[in-house]
Amino acid sequence: MAQAQSAVATESLPYNDVIPGAVVGRDGEALIVNREKLLELARYLRDHEGYDYLSSVTGVDNLTHPKRQGVERFEVVYHLYSTKRGGGPLVLKARAPEDDPEIPSVVSIWPGADFQEREIWDLFGVRFPGHPNLRRILLWEGFNGHPMRKDWKEAYYEEEHKPYSSRWPYGHYPREEYKYPWQEERAVYKDNLVFPKGFDPDRWQAPEVEYRLGQDIYRELEKLKTDRIIVNIGPQHPSTHGVFRMVVALEGETILGLEPEVGYLHRNHEKIGERNTYLMNIPYTDRLDYINSMSNNLGYVLAVEKLMGKVEVPERAKYLRIIMAELTRVLNHMFAIGFLLNDLGAFFTPALYALEERELILDLFEAASGSRMMCNYMRPGGVAYDVSEEWVAQAKKLVFERLPRAVDELDYYLTENEILLARTKGVGYLSPEDAIAYSTSGPVLRGSGVPYDIRKVEPYCIYDRFDFDIVTEDGGDVYARYMVRIREARESLKILRQALKDLPGGPVIGKKKYTFRIPPGEAYQRIEAPKGELGFYLVSDGTANPYRYHVRSPSFINLTALGPMCVGHKVADSVGILGSIDIVLGEVDR
Amino acid sequence: MVGKGILRGLTTTARHLLETYLDDVKKIPSRYAYDRHFIKQPLEEKGIFTIQYPEERRVLPERFRYVPMLLYDADTGEDRCTACGICAKVCPTQCIWIVREEDKTGKPLPRSQEFYIDISICMGCGFCAEFCPFDSIKMNHDYEIAVYNRYPDLVLSKDDLVVPTTYYAQLYPEAWAAEERAREEERKRKAAREKALAAKRAAKAKAAAKKKDEQKDAGK
C-alpha cells in the first residue's frame, strides 16, 4: 500500500523519468533523494543540467525536530548552483537511518565536497563510502562522540537552550561558582576524560597523510636520487596566518603532496549557535572572519530574514548595510594584499601601508557600531544604530579622496615590482574547471577567469541598483588573485560612491525585538563576502532558537584547492599560494 | 625596463618615511611635549599611524563599548535598574545574573538585591545596553581592567558596577542630551495631560453642578 502510494507520488517528481526512483519526495523546496541513486543523479545533474557548482554540503540531525519525527535521523543537504546559468539553488537531501548512517560520497563528482563531507563525518558521524580520505578534520581521533548530534552534551552543559533559567530572578549562578572555584574544575580533562572505544592515547600517532596527488611529478623525479621527506609547516608559523598546519611531502624542494590540517581553533561555533537565540548569534558571527565582521553580520541577518519571511527593512538601513559591507571588502582586500607580500618576504612594510587605511575604516566602524572589529551592527530588520551627518561626511571624504589614492598607491608600489612578478606569475595555477569543481569562491574563483559574483548572479540586498562590474583575471595564478583584489577594491569604491551619494534619510530599524519566534522551515542565504561565498544554513523548529545553524565558510572550502595548487611547486611557494587564498582561521575552524 | 618596479617601490617607501618625519616636525606642540595625549587620527594624516600607548591614547567615540556599567540617579541616589531581567535574557554568553529583591511576603520589588557580571566571559556585544528598557545598563569606556586573579576579581558585583548618571552624561554627551530631551518632552506631555485632565474634571464638576442647579430649579 505504502509502496503503491510512493510510486504514484514519484511520477510527479522531477528527474525520475531519467533516473527512475532517484527522487522520492519533497521537503519544501528540497528534493529528497534515495541515497542508493544519489551518485547517479548527481552525475546527471552535473553533466546534463549544468549544476556544476556544489556550494554547500551539510548535515542535520533530525532527532528532536518536532516536525520530523518518524523520518530517518540523519540528513545530508546539498545546495547546487550553476555557474553558467546563475540563479537559485537546487537543494537535494539524502537521508540515512540511525543504525546505518551511510551516504555515498560525491567527491568523485564535485571534489569540493571533500572537506565538507569530512566535517559531517567528524561532527555528525555520518560515513561517506567512496570518500578517498575520510578521517576527522576539525577534532582529533581521540575525541569521544560526534558533537553536532543532538544527544551530545558539551563540557559546561547547563541547559538545552539559552537564556538559562538560573540567571534570573534568583541568580543561582554565584552559588555554583562557590562550589567550583573556577569552571575548569568541571571540564572534561581530569578523571572524567573519556576516549572512544579502542583508543589508547599513549599509542596514538598522528594519521599518515595520504597523497593522492602529484604522481606524475614523482615519476619525473624518479630519475634523481632524492629522499622523500615530510615537512610540517605550522601550526606555529608566521606564514600560516594563525594556527594552521600544512603537511607537505617533499622530494628535494618540490612538493609532491600537501594536506591542510585544521581545527586548532575549533570551538564548535555551530553547536553554540544552536543553543543561542537568533539574536545572540549575531555577535558570535563577528568572531568567524574577524577581519570582516560586518559582512558576517550581514550574511547572518539576511538568512534570518529569509527564514522569517517578509521583513521590512528601512531604506536607509539597506544603504548602510551596503556601505558597511563594501567598506569591509576594501579593508579586507588591502589587508590580504599586504599580508600576501608579507608571505612573499617583503616583511611588513607593504602590510603596514595597507593597514593605514584600515585604521581609518575601523574608526568609522567604531563610531557607527561601538567596536572596531567585533562590530555586531546588523539586526534582522535593519541595522542597530543610525550614523550621524558627521559620520557620512567623514565616510565621503574617505571614499572619494583617500581610499582611491591608497589603492592607486598600492598598485603603483607593487604591481610591476619584478620580485613580485617573479614570485607570483605562473605560481599556484588553478584552471577554471578545477576552480569550479573544487567549489572555490571569491577572488580565487574569479582569478581563474570564472565570472561568478553572487552580487550579480543572485543579487541580495540592493546590489541590483548599483553599477559595477564583475572582476575576472584569466591567469589563474597568485598574481591573478592579487590583481582581482586590487581591481575589486576599486569596484567596491565605485559602489560606495554611489551608495553614499544617494544615502536616504529616515529610520534605520523598526521596533527592536530581542526574541523572535520563527515558524518551522529552513533557509540558505549566501552572500559575496570579501573572501568568497559565505553561506548560512538555518533550520527552524518554531522555537526561539535555531534548530540547525551551519556556516558555509569561504576560507575553509577554498582550502580544498590548496593541495592541488601547490603540487609541483617549490616549498617556498606554498606559503605564497596560501597567502593568495587569504584564509582566516577563525572561519576555517569555526 | 628591469628594475623600474623596484625603483617605484623604493620611492614610495622613501616618501612615506619623509612624510612621517615632516608630519612630526609640523605638529605644534610636538606629540612628545606632554606626558599624556589623546590622539584622533585625522583623515589627512600622511605620516605614521602608530599611537604610542600608554603614553598616547586614542580619542574614543561616544558609542565605544567595553564592559557594562549600572547607572544610579545622581540626584536621588536610586538605582535605575528594576531587576526586570531583560539584560540577563539577551546576554549571549549568559554572564549576567541577578537576584531580585523581595519583601517579607515574597512579593517581588522592582529592585535588584544582587547584580553580577562575569566580565571574564563578557564579549562586549552591548546587547544589554541596547535592550534595557530603563536605560539603566550602559557600556563603560574604561578598558584597562587587568587584574591578578580572574576569579573572583573579574566577577563584578553591584558595588563594582554602579556609576552615577553624571559619569554617563560625561561619557555619552549626545545620548545623554537626547535622553534629556525625551525626558523633558515626557514631562511636558505629562503636565499637559494632567492639565487637560484637570480642566476636564473641572468642566465635568461644573457641568454636574449646573445640572444639579437645574434639577434644583426644576424641583422648585
Side-chain angles (χ1 to χ4, degrees):
Chain A
M1 172 70 183
Q3 251 180 347
Q5 262 181 359
S6 69
V8 172
T10 48
E11 268 168 25
S12 61
L13 294 164
Y15 308 121
N16 272 346
D17 46 339
V18 199
I19 301 149
V23 182
V24 292
R26 269 181 195 279
D27 182 14
E29 283 180 11
L31 300 175
I32 298 167
V33 179
N34 180 0
R35 59 178 165 154
E36 256 101 72
K37 298 277 173 81
L38 174 68
L39 279 186
E40 226 176 303
L41 179 68
R43 192 162 289 121
Y44 171 77
L45 288 174
R46 185 195 61 180
D47 295 341
H48 297 99
E49 299 283 329
Y51 286 104
D52 51 355
Y53 189 78
L54 178 66
S55 164
S56 154
V57 186
T58 187
V60 180
D61 180 2
N62 287 332
L63 184 67
T64 56
H65 196 295
K67 297 269 176 232
R68 292 185 187 170
Q69 295 305 316
V71 302
E72 283 110 325
R73 179 165 174 192
F74 295 109
E75 191 171 277
V76 175
V77 188
Y78 303 82
H79 284 87
L80 305 173
Y81 290 87
S82 168
T83 52
K84 287 170 195 77
R85 274 186 286 125
L90 177 72
V91 190
L92 302 182
K93 282 184 176 182
R95 285 176 173 165
E98 188 173 359
D99 48 359
D100 176 29
E102 276 192 0
I103 282 165
S105 166
V106 294
V107 172
S108 55
I109 295 151
W110 295 290
D114 184 350
F115 282 15
Q116 307 188 59
E117 284 184 351
R118 279 175 69 189
E119 187 191 319
I120 299 169
W121 156 239
D122 195 353
L123 301 181
F124 284 93
V126 177
R127 295 198 153 272
F128 292 91
H131 192 290
N133 186 19
L134 191 69
R135 55 190 180 86
R136 305 197 94 151
I137 186 164
L138 295 171
L139 304 164
W140 74 308
E141 282 68 25
F143 190 89
N144 191 32
H146 300 283
M148 285 306 290
R149 290 187 172 191
K150 285 286 173 185
D151 48 5
W152 190 91
K153 307 270 186 269
E154 81 269 31
Y156 300 111
Y157 181 79
E158 223 180 303
E159 225 172 277
E160 199 52 50
H161 293 304
K162 289 175 186 173
Y164 300 144
S165 54
S166 66
R167 302 292 193 273
W168 181 83
Y170 299 112
H172 289 300
Y173 189 65
R175 276 170 238 165
E176 288 282 301
E177 285 284 328
Y178 296 138
K179 218 188 298 172
Y180 307 99
W182 190 253
Q183 285 210 332
E184 273 152 21
E185 297 297 313
R186 291 155 73 189
V188 280
Y189 79 108
K190 284 189 171 168
D191 310 331
N192 49 357
L193 181 56
V194 186
F195 289 111
K197 235 179 244 166
F199 182 85
D200 183 3
D202 298 329
R203 293 212 197 127
W204 179 75
Q205 281 189 325
E208 208 166 293
V209 174
E210 280 178 40
Y211 296 101
R212 290 165 279 137
L213 309 154
Q215 296 305 314
D216 298 340
I217 299 156
Y218 186 64
R219 243 174 268 128
E220 249 175 57
L221 287 166
E222 246 177 1
K223 294 165 218 155
L224 291 167
K225 206 166 176 276
T226 52
D227 284 335
R228 183 195 287 196
I229 51 167
I230 303 260
V231 176
N232 276 298
I233 305 180
Q236 306 294 340
H237 192 275
S239 72
T240 54
H241 297 221
V243 272
F244 171 73
R245 184 161 63 111
M246 294 190 275
V247 187
V248 192
L250 295 176
E251 190 83 37
E253 264 198 75
T254 310
I255 297 173
L256 286 186
L258 184 147
E259 276 286 323
E261 285 291 312
V262 299
Y264 297 93
L265 219 59
H266 181 61
R267 55 215 183 264
N268 218 341
H269 180 88
E270 295 176 6
K271 188 85 175 178
I272 298 171
E274 287 169 17
R275 289 211 197 294
N276 284 344
T277 61
Y278 286 99
L279 184 83
M280 287 176 189
N281 269 337
I282 301 171
Y284 278 96
T285 59
D286 289 338
R287 275 94 179 150
L288 281 172
D289 174 358
Y290 40 78
I291 296 165
N292 309 315
S293 62
M294 285 287 190
S295 48
N296 298 342
N297 284 181
L298 178 62
Y300 177 70
V301 299
L302 285 177
V304 175
E305 282 171 7
K306 199 172 188 177
L307 198 59
M308 285 161 90
K310 214 168 151 37
V311 179
E312 278 293 315
V313 180
E315 200 69 0
R316 187 174 171 84
K318 281 182 190 168
Y319 275 85
L320 281 176
R321 283 179 174 186
I322 299 274
I323 290 168
M324 297 301 176
E326 292 305 317
L327 277 174
T328 308
R329 195 182 314 276
V330 178
L331 180 160
N332 176 74
H333 284 352
M334 296 190 75
F335 198 90
I337 291 164
F339 280 87
L340 170 68
L341 264 288
N342 218 17
D343 292 340
L344 295 178
F347 199 67
F348 265 114
T349 308
L352 286 178
Y353 291 170
L355 284 178
E356 283 181 359
E357 267 54 43
R358 177 176 181 260
E359 281 300 305
L360 297 172
I361 297 176
L362 291 188
D363 281 347
L364 284 183
F365 285 175
E366 192 182 29
S369 73
S371 191
R372 294 161 76 74
M373 287 178 80
M374 304 297 140
C375 294
N376 186 16
Y377 186 61
M378 316 275 176
R379 300 280 179 273
V383 298
Y385 309 102
D386 199 358
V387 296
S388 62
E389 283 299 311
E390 192 195 353
W391 190 94
V392 177
Q394 292 250 321
K396 272 187 181 158
K397 217 167 164 186
L398 194 63
V399 164
F400 282 89
E401 291 164 31
R402 175 132 194 164
L403 286 178
R405 215 166 53 217
V407 177
D408 287 348
E409 190 193 47
L410 213 59
D411 192 6
Y412 176 81
Y413 180 36
L414 299 172
T415 305
E416 282 173 39
N417 189 302
E418 286 80 4
I419 303 171
L420 182 90
L421 290 174
R423 287 295 306 276
T424 56
K425 278 239 164 174
V427 174
Y429 177 70
L430 190 67
S431 69
E433 297 77 32
D434 281 354
I436 295 169
Y438 284 114
S439 299
T440 59
S441 52
V444 180
L445 185 62
R446 288 191 289 276
S448 291
V450 182
Y452 194 71
D453 187 322
I454 299 162
R455 292 175 293 173
K456 282 275 189 199
V457 295
E458 202 189 356
Y460 54 93
C461 286
I462 48 167
Y463 275 110
D464 42 0
R465 294 188 202 169
F466 300 110
D467 165 44
F468 67 100
D469 300 321
I470 303 181
V471 176
T472 54
E473 288 278 335
D474 293 329
D477 52 7
V478 176
Y479 185 73
R481 277 163 232 146
Y482 160 83
M483 275 316 285
V484 166
R485 292 209 169 90
I486 289 252
R487 288 175 52 203
E488 241 178 53
R490 290 201 177 118
E491 292 298 318
S492 287
L493 289 173
K494 213 156 110 187
I495 299 174
L496 276 168
R497 281 195 284 267
Q498 299 168 44
L500 279 169
K501 224 181 259 167
D502 353 313
L503 176 68
V508 291
I509 191 167
K511 200 176 173 333
K512 273 190 186 176
K513 279 197 295 188
Y514 61 89
T515 170
F516 316 101
R517 274 188 193 277
I518 299 180
E522 58 182 74
Y524 178 69
Q525 174 68 44
R526 53 184 199 148
I527 66 162
E528 186 69 39
K531 291 193 162 53
E533 178 180 330
L534 174 70
F536 285 92
Y537 176 66
L538 291 170
V539 179
S540 163
D541 60 349
T543 59
N545 311 71
Y547 182 80
R548 174 84 178 102
Y549 163 67
H550 173 69
V551 186
R552 184 254 191 240
S553 66
S555 305
F556 179 64
I557 293 163
N558 284 353
L559 274 181
T560 323
L562 178 67
M565 279 198 279
C566 285
V567 168
H569 289 293
K570 298 281 180 283
V571 65
D573 290 330
S574 68
V575 171
I577 295 169
L578 179 69
S580 77
I581 295 181
D582 183 21
I583 58 165
V584 155
L585 270 298
E587 189 178 61
V588 172
D589 295 342
R590 280 163 295 146
Chain B
M1 189 186 96
V2 179
K4 191 175 142 204
I6 292 179
L7 278 177
R8 278 177 167 192
L10 287 174
T11 47
T12 311
T13 317
R15 207 181 64 234
H16 270 265
L17 181 75
L18 199 69
E19 275 172 356
T20 303
Y21 179 72
L22 289 178
D23 199 50
D24 221 30
V25 169
K26 264 188 248 163
K27 267 186 190 140
I28 299 169
S30 157
R31 65 191 281 179
Y32 309 107
Y34 306 107
D35 284 352
R36 272 191 171 193
H37 273 265
F38 288 91
I39 288 185
K40 178 144 181 66
Q41 309 273 21
L43 279 179
E44 300 79 28
E45 179 83 53
K46 278 187 174 161
I48 200 161
F49 268 64
T50 318
I51 289 177
Q52 295 171 7
Y53 182 82
E55 282 80 19
E56 299 170 339
R57 277 144 212 268
R58 285 178 52 245
V59 177
L60 298 175
E62 186 180 318
R63 267 180 213 157
F64 178 81
R65 54 187 149 84
Y66 201 66
V67 291
M69 59 185 178
L70 272 176
L71 302 188
Y72 69 84
D73 211 310
D75 302 331
T76 59
E78 262 179 56
D79 284 352
R80 279 189 178 181
C81 177
T82 61
C84 68
I86 285 177
C87 51
K89 279 180 211 154
V90 294
C91 178
T93 57
Q94 295 288 295
C95 70
I96 302 177
W97 62 98
I98 306 167
V99 180
R100 193 170 56 189
E101 200 169 316
E102 289 176 353
D103 65 5
K104 277 171 201 154
T105 57
K107 215 180 110 195
L109 295 172
R111 264 202 304 277
S112 63
Q113 197 170 22
E114 290 169 59
F115 196 109
Y116 294 95
I117 298 181
D118 184 350
I119 56 166
S120 66
I121 56 171
C122 169
M123 59 157 80
C125 66
F127 276 159
C128 48
E130 193 178 328
F131 291 101
C132 177
F134 302 99
D135 282 326
S136 87
I137 192 162
K138 293 285 172 194
M139 300 306 274
N140 205 335
H141 286 193
D142 180 17
Y143 51 82
E144 287 164 331
I145 55 165
V147 289
Y148 283 103
N149 300 307
R150 57 177 176 172
Y151 183 81
D153 294 2
L154 283 178
V155 179
L156 300 188
S157 66
K158 203 169 166 182
D159 296 339
D160 308 320
L161 287 167
V162 285
V163 291
T165 39
T166 45
Y167 175 76
Y168 168 64
Q170 194 191 336
L171 284 189
Y172 288 76
E174 273 176 40
W176 176 256
E179 262 178 48
E180 283 285 270
R181 269 200 303 281
R183 259 196 295 277
E184 188 59 36
E185 255 168 50
E186 181 64 24
R187 220 173 293 148
K188 264 186 202 157
R189 213 179 307 136
K190 216 172 170 183
R193 204 169 350 145
E194 261 165 30
K195 211 173 167 186
L197 218 67
K200 218 174 171 184
R201 225 176 279 143
K204 221 176 178 178
K206 216 175 177 182
K210 210 177 171 188
K211 216 174 177 184
K212 230 178 182 177
D213 284 350
E214 273 169 17
Q215 274 174 356
K216 250 185 205 167
D217 290 344
K220 269 181 189 172

